[in-house]
mmCIF file of all heavy atoms in Angstrom:
data_model
loop_
_atom_site.group_PDB
_atom_site.id
_atom_site.type_symbol
_atom_site.label_atom_id
_atom_site.label_comp_id
_atom_site.label_asym_id
_atom_site.label_seq_id
_atom_site.Cartn_x
_atom_site.Cartn_y
_atom_site.Cartn_z
ATOM 1 N N ALA X 1497 0.834 -1.219 0.003
ATOM 2 C CA ALA X 1497 0.010 -0.012 -0.010
ATOM 3 C C ALA X 1497 0.864 1.269 0.018
ATOM 4 O O ALA X 1497 0.543 2.260 -0.664
ATOM 5 C CB ALA X 1497 -0.929 0.004 1.219
ATOM 6 N N ALA X 1498 1.975 1.235 0.725
ATOM 7 C CA ALA X 1498 2.876 2.388 0.756
ATOM 8 C C ALA X 1498 3.447 2.656 -0.617
ATOM 9 O O ALA X 1498 3.544 3.833 -1.053
ATOM 10 C CB ALA X 1498 3.999 2.168 1.777
ATOM 11 N N LEU X 1499 3.826 1.637 -1.351
ATOM 12 C CA LEU X 1499 4.369 1.799 -2.688
ATOM 13 C C LEU X 1499 3.277 2.293 -3.664
ATOM 14 O O LEU X 1499 3.544 3.139 -4.518
ATOM 15 C CB LEU X 1499 4.984 0.479 -3.163
ATOM 16 C CG LEU X 1499 6.262 0.104 -2.478
ATOM 17 C CD1 LEU X 1499 6.615 -1.361 -2.696
ATOM 18 C CD2 LEU X 1499 7.421 1.000 -2.975
ATOM 19 N N ARG X 1500 2.069 1.741 -3.552
ATOM 20 C CA ARG X 1500 0.981 2.214 -4.401
ATOM 21 C C ARG X 1500 0.694 3.712 -4.160
ATOM 22 O O ARG X 1500 0.514 4.477 -5.107
ATOM 23 C CB ARG X 1500 -0.312 1.408 -4.155
ATOM 24 C CG ARG X 1500 -0.259 -0.024 -4.549
ATOM 25 C CD ARG X 1500 -1.663 -0.629 -4.641
ATOM 26 N NE ARG X 1500 -2.457 -0.428 -3.451
ATOM 27 C CZ ARG X 1500 -2.548 -1.254 -2.409
ATOM 28 N NH1 ARG X 1500 -1.813 -2.365 -2.416
ATOM 29 N NH2 ARG X 1500 -3.302 -0.977 -1.379
ATOM 30 N N ASP X 1501 0.653 4.104 -2.889
ATOM 31 C CA ASP X 1501 0.360 5.503 -2.557
ATOM 32 C C ASP X 1501 1.396 6.453 -3.119
ATOM 33 O O ASP X 1501 1.105 7.577 -3.517
ATOM 34 C CB ASP X 1501 0.281 5.664 -1.050
ATOM 35 C CG ASP X 1501 -0.953 5.021 -0.436
ATOM 36 O OD1 ASP X 1501 -1.885 4.649 -1.209
ATOM 37 O OD2 ASP X 1501 -1.001 4.811 0.786
ATOM 38 N N ASN X 1502 2.654 6.005 -3.188
ATOM 39 C CA ASN X 1502 3.718 6.878 -3.670
ATOM 40 C C ASN X 1502 3.761 6.969 -5.207
ATOM 41 O O ASN X 1502 4.578 7.733 -5.744
ATOM 42 C CB ASN X 1502 5.073 6.359 -3.160
ATOM 43 C CG ASN X 1502 5.347 6.898 -1.760
ATOM 44 O OD1 ASN X 1502 5.981 7.939 -1.593
ATOM 45 N ND2 ASN X 1502 4.908 6.163 -0.751
ATOM 46 N N TYR X 1503 2.873 6.250 -5.880
ATOM 47 C CA TYR X 1503 2.819 6.370 -7.337
ATOM 48 C C TYR X 1503 2.474 7.809 -7.784
ATOM 49 O O TYR X 1503 2.859 8.240 -8.863
ATOM 50 C CB TYR X 1503 1.799 5.386 -7.898
ATOM 51 C CG TYR X 1503 1.814 5.299 -9.421
ATOM 52 C CD1 TYR X 1503 2.753 4.515 -10.055
ATOM 53 C CD2 TYR X 1503 0.864 5.969 -10.174
ATOM 54 C CE1 TYR X 1503 2.796 4.444 -11.441
ATOM 55 C CE2 TYR X 1503 0.899 5.874 -11.574
ATOM 56 C CZ TYR X 1503 1.847 5.106 -12.208
ATOM 57 O OH TYR X 1503 1.846 5.025 -13.559
ATOM 58 N N ARG X 1504 1.782 8.525 -6.940
ATOM 59 C CA ARG X 1504 1.332 9.871 -7.282
ATOM 60 C C ARG X 1504 2.397 10.933 -6.962
ATOM 61 O O ARG X 1504 2.169 12.126 -7.275
ATOM 62 C CB ARG X 1504 0.050 10.206 -6.519
ATOM 63 C CG ARG X 1504 -1.136 9.316 -6.909
ATOM 64 C CD ARG X 1504 -2.410 9.787 -6.230
ATOM 65 N NE ARG X 1504 -2.327 9.584 -4.773
ATOM 66 C CZ ARG X 1504 -2.703 8.440 -4.166
ATOM 67 N NH1 ARG X 1504 -3.136 7.410 -4.895
ATOM 68 N NH2 ARG X 1504 -2.604 8.321 -2.876
ATOM 69 N N CYS X 1505 3.505 10.565 -6.370
ATOM 70 C CA CYS X 1505 4.549 11.545 -6.007
ATOM 71 C C CYS X 1505 5.463 11.779 -7.201
ATOM 72 O O CYS X 1505 6.445 11.056 -7.409
ATOM 73 C CB CYS X 1505 5.321 11.006 -4.818
ATOM 74 S SG CYS X 1505 4.354 10.778 -3.316
ATOM 75 N N ASP X 1506 5.170 12.851 -7.922
ATOM 76 C CA ASP X 1506 5.839 13.088 -9.200
ATOM 77 C C ASP X 1506 7.368 13.245 -9.045
ATOM 78 O O ASP X 1506 8.136 12.865 -9.966
ATOM 79 C CB ASP X 1506 5.297 14.344 -9.876
ATOM 80 C CG ASP X 1506 3.879 14.186 -10.332
ATOM 81 O OD1 ASP X 1506 3.391 13.028 -10.431
ATOM 82 O OD2 ASP X 1506 3.197 15.202 -10.571
ATOM 83 N N ASP X 1507 7.825 13.813 -7.903
ATOM 84 C CA ASP X 1507 9.234 14.071 -7.785
ATOM 85 C C ASP X 1507 10.110 12.817 -7.599
ATOM 86 O O ASP X 1507 11.316 12.886 -7.705
ATOM 87 C CB ASP X 1507 9.477 15.018 -6.608
ATOM 88 C CG ASP X 1507 9.030 14.426 -5.266
ATOM 89 O OD1 ASP X 1507 8.195 13.514 -5.277
ATOM 90 O OD2 ASP X 1507 9.509 14.911 -4.214
ATOM 91 N N ARG X 1508 9.499 11.664 -7.492
ATOM 92 C CA ARG X 1508 10.246 10.415 -7.290
ATOM 93 C C ARG X 1508 10.580 9.766 -8.649
ATOM 94 O O ARG X 1508 11.338 8.809 -8.666
ATOM 95 C CB ARG X 1508 9.445 9.436 -6.440
ATOM 96 C CG ARG X 1508 9.305 9.897 -5.009
ATOM 97 C CD ARG X 1508 8.807 8.768 -4.127
ATOM 98 N NE ARG X 1508 8.701 9.234 -2.761
ATOM 99 C CZ ARG X 1508 9.697 9.230 -1.874
ATOM 100 N NH1 ARG X 1508 10.888 8.815 -2.281
ATOM 101 N NH2 ARG X 1508 9.543 9.637 -0.635
ATOM 102 N N TYR X 1509 9.985 10.279 -9.753
ATOM 103 C CA TYR X 1509 10.092 9.556 -11.027
ATOM 104 C C TYR X 1509 10.763 10.431 -12.105
ATOM 105 O O TYR X 1509 10.593 11.637 -12.135
ATOM 106 C CB TYR X 1509 8.710 9.133 -11.492
ATOM 107 C CG TYR X 1509 7.991 8.261 -10.460
ATOM 108 C CD1 TYR X 1509 7.097 8.811 -9.585
ATOM 109 C CD2 TYR X 1509 8.248 6.906 -10.403
ATOM 110 C CE1 TYR X 1509 6.454 8.014 -8.625
ATOM 111 C CE2 TYR X 1509 7.623 6.107 -9.435
ATOM 112 C CZ TYR X 1509 6.741 6.658 -8.558
ATOM 113 O OH TYR X 1509 6.116 5.897 -7.617
ATOM 114 N N ARG X 1510 11.490 9.757 -12.978
ATOM 115 C CA ARG X 1510 12.197 10.491 -14.039
ATOM 116 C C ARG X 1510 11.345 10.586 -15.298
ATOM 117 O O ARG X 1510 11.542 11.503 -16.108
ATOM 118 C CB ARG X 1510 13.533 9.833 -14.380
ATOM 119 C CG ARG X 1510 13.453 8.431 -14.980
ATOM 120 C CD ARG X 1510 14.841 7.953 -15.428
ATOM 121 N NE ARG X 1510 14.851 6.559 -15.887
ATOM 122 C CZ ARG X 1510 14.530 6.154 -17.093
ATOM 123 N NH1 ARG X 1510 14.095 7.021 -17.989
ATOM 124 N NH2 ARG X 1510 14.585 4.874 -17.427
ATOM 125 N N SER X 1511 10.402 9.656 -15.500
ATOM 126 C CA SER X 1511 9.543 9.703 -16.681
ATOM 127 C C SER X 1511 8.329 8.833 -16.486
ATOM 128 O O SER X 1511 8.324 7.922 -15.654
ATOM 129 C CB SER X 1511 10.298 9.247 -17.955
ATOM 130 O OG SER X 1511 10.660 7.873 -17.874
ATOM 131 N N THR X 1512 7.285 9.143 -17.279
ATOM 132 C CA THR X 1512 6.060 8.348 -17.255
ATOM 133 C C THR X 1512 5.774 7.910 -18.694
ATOM 134 O O THR X 1512 5.855 8.698 -19.625
ATOM 135 C CB THR X 1512 4.845 9.188 -16.763
ATOM 136 O OG1 THR X 1512 5.118 9.619 -15.424
ATOM 137 C CG2 THR X 1512 3.548 8.373 -16.779
ATOM 138 N N VAL X 1513 5.466 6.631 -18.897
ATOM 139 C CA VAL X 1513 5.206 6.080 -20.209
ATOM 140 C C VAL X 1513 3.754 5.653 -20.334
ATOM 141 O O VAL X 1513 3.265 4.889 -19.520
ATOM 142 C CB VAL X 1513 6.118 4.869 -20.478
ATOM 143 C CG1 VAL X 1513 5.803 4.250 -21.842
ATOM 144 C CG2 VAL X 1513 7.593 5.284 -20.431
ATOM 145 N N ILE X 1514 3.061 6.244 -21.327
ATOM 146 C CA ILE X 1514 1.703 5.813 -21.643
ATOM 147 C C ILE X 1514 1.820 4.732 -22.708
ATOM 148 O O ILE X 1514 2.217 4.954 -23.874
ATOM 149 C CB ILE X 1514 0.843 6.980 -22.186
ATOM 150 C CG1 ILE X 1514 0.937 8.167 -21.205
ATOM 151 C CG2 ILE X 1514 -0.597 6.536 -22.423
ATOM 152 C CD1 ILE X 1514 0.425 7.876 -19.816
ATOM 153 N N MET X 1515 1.464 3.502 -22.329
ATOM 154 C CA MET X 1515 1.840 2.329 -23.131
ATOM 155 C C MET X 1515 1.227 2.326 -24.523
ATOM 156 O O MET X 1515 1.879 1.958 -25.494
ATOM 157 C CB MET X 1515 1.468 1.064 -22.345
ATOM 158 C CG MET X 1515 2.322 0.874 -21.115
ATOM 159 S SD MET X 1515 1.683 -0.380 -19.968
ATOM 160 C CE MET X 1515 1.794 -1.821 -21.006
ATOM 161 N N GLN X 1516 -0.037 2.759 -24.668
ATOM 162 C CA GLN X 1516 -0.689 2.690 -25.959
ATOM 163 C C GLN X 1516 -0.082 3.628 -26.983
ATOM 164 O O GLN X 1516 -0.203 3.414 -28.184
ATOM 165 C CB GLN X 1516 -2.204 2.926 -25.832
ATOM 166 C CG GLN X 1516 -2.614 4.147 -25.109
ATOM 167 C CD GLN X 1516 -2.940 3.863 -23.650
ATOM 168 O OE1 GLN X 1516 -2.157 3.188 -22.951
ATOM 169 N NE2 GLN X 1516 -4.069 4.356 -23.185
ATOM 170 N N ARG X 1517 0.641 4.668 -26.561
ATOM 171 C CA ARG X 1517 1.294 5.582 -27.503
ATOM 172 C C ARG X 1517 2.442 4.898 -28.213
ATOM 173 O O ARG X 1517 2.874 5.360 -29.292
ATOM 174 C CB ARG X 1517 1.824 6.801 -26.727
ATOM 175 C CG ARG X 1517 0.721 7.692 -26.146
ATOM 176 C CD ARG X 1517 1.320 8.858 -25.410
ATOM 177 N NE ARG X 1517 0.326 9.708 -24.784
ATOM 178 C CZ ARG X 1517 0.600 10.723 -23.977
ATOM 179 N NH1 ARG X 1517 1.883 10.996 -23.696
ATOM 180 N NH2 ARG X 1517 -0.386 11.469 -23.455
ATOM 181 N N HIS X 1518 2.984 3.809 -27.663
ATOM 182 C CA HIS X 1518 4.150 3.175 -28.223
ATOM 183 C C HIS X 1518 3.860 1.725 -28.734
ATOM 184 O O HIS X 1518 4.778 1.048 -29.130
ATOM 185 C CB HIS X 1518 5.257 3.133 -27.183
ATOM 186 C CG HIS X 1518 5.575 4.483 -26.588
ATOM 187 N ND1 HIS X 1518 6.453 5.350 -27.202
ATOM 188 C CD2 HIS X 1518 5.178 5.057 -25.442
ATOM 189 C CE1 HIS X 1518 6.551 6.433 -26.484
ATOM 190 N NE2 HIS X 1518 5.795 6.311 -25.401
ATOM 191 N N GLY X 1519 2.597 1.334 -28.645
ATOM 192 C CA GLY X 1519 2.246 -0.014 -29.075
ATOM 193 C C GLY X 1519 2.627 -1.075 -28.063
ATOM 194 O O GLY X 1519 2.769 -2.259 -28.424
ATOM 195 N N PHE X 1520 2.823 -0.667 -26.811
ATOM 196 C CA PHE X 1520 3.263 -1.618 -25.771
ATOM 197 C C PHE X 1520 2.081 -2.349 -25.113
ATOM 198 O O PHE X 1520 2.297 -3.294 -24.404
ATOM 199 C CB PHE X 1520 4.057 -0.895 -24.655
ATOM 200 C CG PHE X 1520 5.324 -0.255 -25.093
ATOM 201 C CD1 PHE X 1520 5.925 0.725 -24.304
ATOM 202 C CD2 PHE X 1520 5.951 -0.628 -26.288
ATOM 203 C CE1 PHE X 1520 7.116 1.326 -24.710
ATOM 204 C CE2 PHE X 1520 7.140 -0.027 -26.678
ATOM 205 C CZ PHE X 1520 7.735 0.964 -25.890
ATOM 206 N N GLY X 1521 0.894 -1.880 -25.371
ATOM 207 C CA GLY X 1521 -0.300 -2.424 -24.702
ATOM 208 C C GLY X 1521 -1.203 -1.261 -24.280
ATOM 209 O O GLY X 1521 -1.308 -0.272 -25.037
ATOM 210 N N ARG X 1522 -1.767 -1.351 -23.090
ATOM 211 C CA ARG X 1522 -2.559 -0.281 -22.505
ATOM 212 C C ARG X 1522 -2.226 -0.186 -21.037
ATOM 213 O O ARG X 1522 -2.074 -1.200 -20.337
ATOM 214 C CB ARG X 1522 -4.061 -0.523 -22.665
ATOM 215 C CG ARG X 1522 -4.616 -0.124 -24.036
ATOM 216 C CD ARG X 1522 -6.134 -0.288 -24.040
ATOM 217 N NE ARG X 1522 -6.773 0.419 -22.934
ATOM 218 C CZ ARG X 1522 -8.090 0.442 -22.739
ATOM 219 N NH1 ARG X 1522 -8.881 -0.261 -23.560
ATOM 220 N NH2 ARG X 1522 -8.601 1.074 -21.734
ATOM 221 N N GLY X 1523 -2.134 1.043 -20.522
ATOM 222 C CA GLY X 1523 -1.746 1.288 -19.160
ATOM 223 C C GLY X 1523 -0.616 2.280 -19.100
ATOM 224 O O GLY X 1523 -0.318 2.959 -20.105
ATOM 225 N N GLU X 1524 0.015 2.391 -17.947
ATOM 226 C CA GLU X 1524 1.143 3.315 -17.837
ATOM 227 C C GLU X 1524 2.140 2.831 -16.800
ATOM 228 O O GLU X 1524 1.809 1.980 -15.945
ATOM 229 C CB GLU X 1524 0.663 4.730 -17.482
ATOM 230 C CG GLU X 1524 0.054 4.832 -16.082
ATOM 231 C CD GLU X 1524 -0.393 6.277 -15.763
ATOM 232 O OE1 GLU X 1524 -0.868 6.973 -16.688
ATOM 233 O OE2 GLU X 1524 -0.259 6.672 -14.614
ATOM 234 N N TYR X 1525 3.342 3.332 -16.893
ATOM 235 C CA TYR X 1525 4.365 3.027 -15.872
ATOM 236 C C TYR X 1525 5.295 4.189 -15.696
ATOM 237 O O TYR X 1525 5.424 5.063 -16.580
ATOM 238 C CB TYR X 1525 5.104 1.752 -16.182
ATOM 239 C CG TYR X 1525 5.751 1.634 -17.568
ATOM 240 C CD1 TYR X 1525 7.035 2.137 -17.823
ATOM 241 C CD2 TYR X 1525 5.077 0.996 -18.602
ATOM 242 C CE1 TYR X 1525 7.597 2.003 -19.070
ATOM 243 C CE2 TYR X 1525 5.672 0.849 -19.849
ATOM 244 C CZ TYR X 1525 6.929 1.347 -20.090
ATOM 245 O OH TYR X 1525 7.511 1.225 -21.332
ATOM 246 N N ARG X 1526 5.913 4.226 -14.516
ATOM 247 C CA ARG X 1526 6.810 5.354 -14.143
ATOM 248 C C ARG X 1526 8.109 4.805 -13.677
ATOM 249 O O ARG X 1526 8.206 3.906 -12.817
ATOM 250 C CB ARG X 1526 6.155 6.186 -13.045
ATOM 251 C CG ARG X 1526 4.710 6.576 -13.275
ATOM 252 C CD ARG X 1526 4.224 7.603 -12.284
ATOM 253 N NE ARG X 1526 4.672 8.957 -12.702
ATOM 254 C CZ ARG X 1526 4.385 10.085 -12.038
ATOM 255 N NH1 ARG X 1526 3.697 10.011 -10.907
ATOM 256 N NH2 ARG X 1526 4.789 11.245 -12.477
ATOM 257 N N TYR X 1527 9.207 5.348 -14.247
ATOM 258 C CA TYR X 1527 10.560 4.985 -13.830
ATOM 259 C C TYR X 1527 11.027 5.872 -12.685
ATOM 260 O O TYR X 1527 10.908 7.107 -12.786
ATOM 261 C CB TYR X 1527 11.553 5.179 -14.998
ATOM 262 C CG TYR X 1527 11.386 4.154 -16.118
ATOM 263 C CD1 TYR X 1527 10.824 4.526 -17.335
ATOM 264 C CD2 TYR X 1527 11.863 2.858 -15.964
ATOM 265 C CE1 TYR X 1527 10.715 3.606 -18.355
ATOM 266 C CE2 TYR X 1527 11.743 1.951 -16.996
ATOM 267 C CZ TYR X 1527 11.171 2.327 -18.194
ATOM 268 O OH TYR X 1527 11.075 1.413 -19.221
ATOM 269 N N PHE X 1528 11.555 5.255 -11.632
ATOM 270 C CA PHE X 1528 12.170 6.040 -10.553
ATOM 271 C C PHE X 1528 13.394 6.798 -11.085
ATOM 272 O O PHE X 1528 14.071 6.369 -12.018
ATOM 273 C CB PHE X 1528 12.578 5.110 -9.433
ATOM 274 C CG PHE X 1528 11.433 4.550 -8.642
ATOM 275 C CD1 PHE X 1528 10.924 3.305 -8.890
ATOM 276 C CD2 PHE X 1528 10.889 5.290 -7.595
ATOM 277 C CE1 PHE X 1528 9.873 2.800 -8.161
ATOM 278 C CE2 PHE X 1528 9.820 4.776 -6.855
ATOM 279 C CZ PHE X 1528 9.310 3.554 -7.143
ATOM 280 N N ARG X 1529 13.662 7.928 -10.451
ATOM 281 C CA ARG X 1529 14.851 8.695 -10.750
ATOM 282 C C ARG X 1529 15.961 8.407 -9.730
ATOM 283 O O ARG X 1529 15.690 7.866 -8.638
ATOM 284 C CB ARG X 1529 14.544 10.204 -10.761
ATOM 285 C CG ARG X 1529 14.194 10.778 -9.388
ATOM 286 C CD ARG X 1529 14.146 12.334 -9.399
ATOM 287 N NE ARG X 1529 13.022 12.842 -10.183
ATOM 288 C CZ ARG X 1529 13.167 13.472 -11.339
ATOM 289 N NH1 ARG X 1529 14.367 13.655 -11.840
ATOM 290 N NH2 ARG X 1529 12.113 13.906 -11.981
#
């Protein structure tokens, strides 16, 4: 739950990928910085 809650903390991530824009599927993911 702590990790899920921190998904919204923008300053922890270097980039966000919207999967359907790249043909990866559907959904999104965020890389930590």
Side-chain angles (χ1 to χ4, degrees):
L1499 289 163
R1500 294 197 308 267
D1501 290 345
N1502 275 270
Y1503 188 80
R1504 297 185 293 271
C1505 298
D1506 293 343
D1507 61 339
R1508 294 192 178 275
Y1509 302 97
R1510 65 172 174 84
S1511 65
T1512 300
V1513 176
I1514 307 301
M1515 293 167 62
Q1516 52 265 48
R1517 293 179 182 173
H1518 306 277
F1520 297 162
R1522 278 186 53 181
E1524 66 180 35
Y1525 51 88
R1526 311 191 81 180
Y1527 288 106
F1528 287 96
R1529 67 170 68 249

